[in-house]
Amino acid sequence: MDPLLVQALAPVLRLVTAIELVAVIAAAFSGFAEARKKEMDVVGVFTVAFVTAFGGGTLRDLLLDRRPFFWVDHYEYVIIILVLTILVTPAMRIAHRLVPNWAFVTADAIGLGFFSIAGMALAIQADMPWIIAAMLGVVTGVFGGVLRDVILNEVPMVLRDGKPYALASFLGCGAYSLMLSAGLPQSVALWSAAGFIVVLRMVAWRQNWTLK
Amino acid sequence: MDPLLVQALAPVLRLVTAIELVAVIAAAFSGFAEARKKEMDVVGVFTVAFVTAFGGGTLRDLLLDRRPFFWVDHYEYVIIILVLTILVTPAMRIAHRLVPNWAFVTADAIGLGFFSIAGMALAIQADMPWIIAAMLGVVTGVFGGVLRDVILNEVPMVLRDGKPYALASFLGCGAYSLMLSAGLPQSVALWSAAGFIVVLRMVAWRQNWTLK
Amino acid sequence: MDPLLVQALAPVLRLVTAIELVAVIAAAFSGFAEARKKEMDVVGVFTVAFVTAFGGGTLRDLLLDRRPFFWVDHYEYVIIILVLTILVTPAMRIAHRLVPNWAFVTADAIGLGFFSIAGMALAIQADMPWIIAAMLGVVTGVFGGVLRDVILNEVPMVLRDGKPYALASFLGCGAYSLMLSAGLPQSVALWSAAGFIVVLRMVAWRQNWTLK
């Protein structure tokens, strides 16, 4: 890539990285919860957390042909998941009933919001038309959870519970695109669009909105 | 790529594009049918149709390292699926029993035939040996349906019903390869091999041929 | 790549190829066994064997962005699986009870060990940090079996039986890395690390070691 362009993009990429870290940790926790429900062993817990955390971003990188993958570039992410697995697995066996359901829904919503916008931002930088970029945002946001459910041998929740999950992601990506067109700075657009998805998802879950 | 080569290949690529469009629409309809059977919501119907329509071609593009993906290059395909989802979902709820089973088998057979040959044609252009090209043709033809079944949490039909499905695709790819060696023009070989697969699959289904 | 480097790497690549061939055949046999249990047709048996044998290596090649895939480069592998399918399928119907369980566990263990080390060796050549290389080794070793189980609609065995399977692979990759640092020749490190995984897995299976 043109070095000048790289320099211009550096702050955006730093932002995307910060957002990704939040999303990785949140997604890993939703993976821990699901894996424990299915009584997996340590390797299973790690794998499910890994897949939930990195599945969406890896598919995005594959589709955009970006190498190295974001978790190869930032392999501290992998170590974080590894350490969390070792710390969290025994804790979960004890805590089980103490961790309320909303904590996991929140972790999952944060993962959804931040991955979606990180995915869309990178797709826009790769000069994709906005509808494809939004689609890649949604894929990045939901694919980790889909992969988690496929591995756990369930029909992915996102495809059948009728809750606005992928839709929340899509609307947030649209909002991001509008904010950029309106000339708002990247950082504002990134954080507020990601936050918008998290809030929309949480409200939809609390209010029990259904699409069906 | 060499511009002269690109020019020489242009008519073939145009043909492959036309064939792909037929296959995409047919596959999307088979996705709609399956998704409704499982009582998915709108997002689920769209996703299953999307995956069925683009799964095979995306895997082929990944394996051949072709970018952008054919559905990024022709993102009108994505919009077609989106519009069809919005139009077809409510219609299906009403029609349910009115759409005969053979209509879906036909849509699926058309998807199989046309994706297979489009996949093989692109693999041959990428200088693959014919056995690998035929394999890629079969993968392009059947993978959308396999992915659809995996997401819907079923053992892929193609792997266990003993009907000549992947085999029909393989034979059609072989026929295409023979026709090219015999010096037939691309357009004749493409359409007649794709048609051959569709007919073979339909006849096998009607006659209830079994391999087992 | 630099031709001098290619020349220097040639013996390593030849070794990796030999190791891969062992792993491919062993994995295919474990695929045959599973597919027959589920009463698949010929196409299903071939596909499951193919996926088990090539799934891990293909994911590795995708992640490392290596093209052509190892089974495109060595398409004799594909033909071997095809011929084995045709020979083995009818034999299995007869033999069924004659083939003892340990034979399949052994085939699977050999696949695990040799794929893991082949995956790690290629990742190290691609200049990955060792923790990522070890992860890629594990992925290469176990992913074929995971894909096999997902296609057969089961929760992957590796994630829930609590046996040291992925862990054996990980320890072997660590041992390989240590042997290289200790200055041992590639060939010794490759074969002994792969052998170590096979033995560790077999002993763990015999002794019924559990991690849970």
Side-chain angles (χ1 to χ4, degrees):
Chain A
M1 228 195 277
D2 178 23
L4 265 177
L5 185 65
V6 168
Q7 216 181 323
L9 288 178
V12 179
L13 288 179
R14 250 199 314 275
L15 263 175
V16 169
T17 300
I19 280 177
E20 249 170 21
L21 184 59
V22 175
V24 160
I25 291 175
F29 271 92
S30 93
F32 289 140
E34 288 297 318
R36 285 310 307 170
K37 257 195 238 161
K38 288 266 181 170
E39 311 212 327
M40 301 215 139
D41 58 34
V42 174
V43 172
V45 171
F46 173 71
T47 309
V48 172
F50 186 92
V51 156
T52 313
F54 300 128
T58 303
L59 183 60
R60 175 201 65 200
D61 288 357
L62 267 180
L63 296 178
L64 292 175
D65 212 10
R66 284 167 52 91
R67 297 301 152 85
F69 290 116
F70 76 107
W71 50 272
V72 172
D73 227 12
H74 301 273
Y75 65 89
E76 61 275 15
Y77 291 179
V78 176
I79 294 169
I80 290 171
I81 307 264
L82 203 57
V83 170
L84 281 178
T85 303
I86 293 166
L87 294 180
V88 166
T89 309
M92 279 214 165
R93 216 162 303 178
I94 302 162
H96 212 245
R97 296 274 155 206
L98 299 180
V99 185
N101 197 31
W102 64 259
F104 296 122
V105 176
T106 308
D108 192 66
I110 294 171
L112 176 71
F114 283 60
F115 273 133
S116 298
I117 298 303
M120 179 154 191
L122 291 177
I124 283 177
Q125 275 174 33
D127 278 327
M128 297 278 163
W130 85 266
I131 180 87
I132 295 289
M135 196 133 275
L136 275 170
V138 175
V139 163
T140 311
V142 308
F143 189 71
V146 168
L147 215 55
R148 177 194 64 202
D149 293 349
V150 166
I151 285 185
L152 293 174
N153 205 17
E154 286 174 1
V155 177
M157 220 51 222
V158 54
L159 301 181
R160 62 164 186 183
D161 72 348
K163 300 282 161 52
Y165 188 87
L167 194 65
S169 160
F170 189 76
L171 292 177
C173 289
Y176 175 74
S177 167
L178 285 177
M179 284 188 274
L180 286 193
S181 318
L184 282 170
Q186 275 279 4
S187 61
V188 175
L190 277 169
W191 288 96
S192 61
F196 170 72
I197 295 174
V198 179
V199 170
L200 183 57
R201 165 68 187 151
M202 293 302 296
V203 171
W205 178 73
R206 284 301 299 260
Q207 303 293 323
N208 219 4
W209 289 345
T210 310
L211 281 178
K212 190 88 68 163
Chain B
M1 227 196 276
D2 178 25
L4 264 178
L5 185 64
V6 169
Q7 215 181 325
L9 288 179
V12 179
L13 288 178
R14 252 200 311 278
L15 262 175
V16 169
T17 300
I19 280 178
E20 249 170 19
L21 184 59
V22 176
V24 160
I25 291 174
F29 271 92
S30 94
F32 290 140
E34 288 298 318
R36 285 311 306 170
K37 256 193 237 162
K38 288 266 179 170
E39 311 212 326
M40 302 216 138
D41 58 34
V42 173
V43 172
V45 170
F46 174 72
T47 309
V48 171
F50 186 92
V51 156
T52 314
F54 300 128
T58 303
L59 183 59
R60 175 201 65 200
D61 287 357
L62 267 179
L63 296 178
L64 291 176
D65 211 10
R66 285 168 50 93
R67 298 299 152 87
F69 290 117
F70 76 106
W71 51 273
V72 171
D73 226 13
H74 301 273
Y75 64 89
E76 61 275 15
Y77 290 179
V78 176
I79 294 169
I80 290 171
I81 307 263
L82 202 58
V83 170
L84 281 178
T85 302
I86 293 166
L87 294 180
V88 165
T89 309
M92 278 214 164
R93 215 162 305 178
I94 303 162
H96 211 244
R97 296 274 156 206
L98 299 181
V99 185
N101 197 30
W102 63 259
F104 296 121
V105 176
T106 308
D108 193 67
I110 294 171
L112 177 71
F114 283 61
F115 273 133
S116 298
I117 298 303
M120 178 155 191
L122 291 177
I124 284 178
Q125 276 173 33
D127 279 326
M128 298 278 163
W130 86 265
I131 181 88
I132 295 289
M135 197 132 273
L136 274 170
V138 175
V139 163
T140 310
V142 308
F143 189 71
V146 168
L147 216 54
R148 179 192 62 202
D149 293 349
V150 166
I151 284 185
L152 294 175
N153 205 15
E154 286 173 1
V155 178
M157 220 52 223
V158 54
L159 301 181
R160 62 165 186 183
D161 72 348
K163 300 281 162 52
Y165 187 87
L167 195 65
S169 159
F170 189 77
L171 292 177
C173 289
Y176 174 74
S177 168
L178 285 178
M179 284 189 274
L180 286 193
S181 318
L184 281 169
Q186 275 279 4
S187 61
V188 174
L190 276 169
W191 289 95
S192 61
F196 170 72
I197 295 174
V198 179
V199 170
L200 182 56
R201 166 67 186 151
M202 292 301 296
V203 171
W205 178 73
R206 284 300 300 260
Q207 302 293 321
N208 219 4
W209 289 345
T210 310
L211 281 178
K212 190 87 69 166
Chain C
M1 228 195 279
D2 177 25
L4 264 178
L5 185 64
V6 169
Q7 215 181 324
L9 289 178
V12 179
L13 289 178
R14 250 199 314 276
L15 263 175
V16 170
T17 301
I19 279 178
E20 248 170 20
L21 183 60
V22 176
V24 160
I25 291 175
F29 271 91
S30 93
F32 289 140
E34 289 296 318
R36 285 311 305 171
K37 258 195 237 160
K38 288 265 180 170
E39 310 212 327
M40 301 215 138
D41 58 34
V42 174
V43 172
V45 171
F46 173 71
T47 308
V48 171
F50 186 92
V51 156
T52 313
F54 300 128
T58 303
L59 183 60
R60 175 202 64 202
D61 288 357
L62 267 180
L63 296 178
L64 292 176
D65 211 10
R66 285 168 50 93
R67 299 298 152 86
F69 290 117
F70 75 105
W71 51 273
V72 171
D73 226 12
H74 300 274
Y75 65 89
E76 62 275 15
Y77 291 179
V78 176
I79 295 170
I80 289 171
I81 307 262
L82 202 58
V83 171
L84 282 177
T85 303
I86 293 166
L87 295 180
V88 166
T89 309
M92 278 212 166
R93 216 162 305 179
I94 302 161
H96 211 249
R97 296 274 155 206
L98 299 179
V99 185
N101 196 32
W102 64 259
F104 296 122
V105 176
T106 309
D108 193 66
I110 295 171
L112 176 71
F114 284 60
F115 272 133
S116 299
I117 298 303
M120 178 151 192
L122 292 177
I124 283 177
Q125 275 173 33
D127 277 327
M128 298 279 163
W130 85 266
I131 181 88
I132 295 289
M135 196 134 274
L136 275 170
V138 175
V139 163
T140 311
V142 308
F143 189 70
V146 168
L147 215 55
R148 178 193 62 203
D149 293 348
V150 166
I151 285 185
L152 294 175
N153 205 17
E154 286 172 2
V155 178
M157 220 52 221
V158 56
L159 301 181
R160 62 164 185 183
D161 73 347
K163 300 282 162 52
Y165 188 87
L167 194 65
S169 160
F170 189 77
L171 292 177
C173 289
Y176 174 74
S177 168
L178 284 177
M179 283 190 274
L180 286 193
S181 319
L184 281 170
Q186 275 280 3
S187 60
V188 174
L190 277 168
W191 288 96
S192 61
F196 169 72
I197 295 174
V198 178
V199 170
L200 182 56
R201 165 67 186 152
M202 292 302 296
V203 170
W205 178 73
R206 284 301 299 261
Q207 303 293 322
N208 217 5
W209 288 344
T210 310
L211 282 178
K212 188 91 65 166

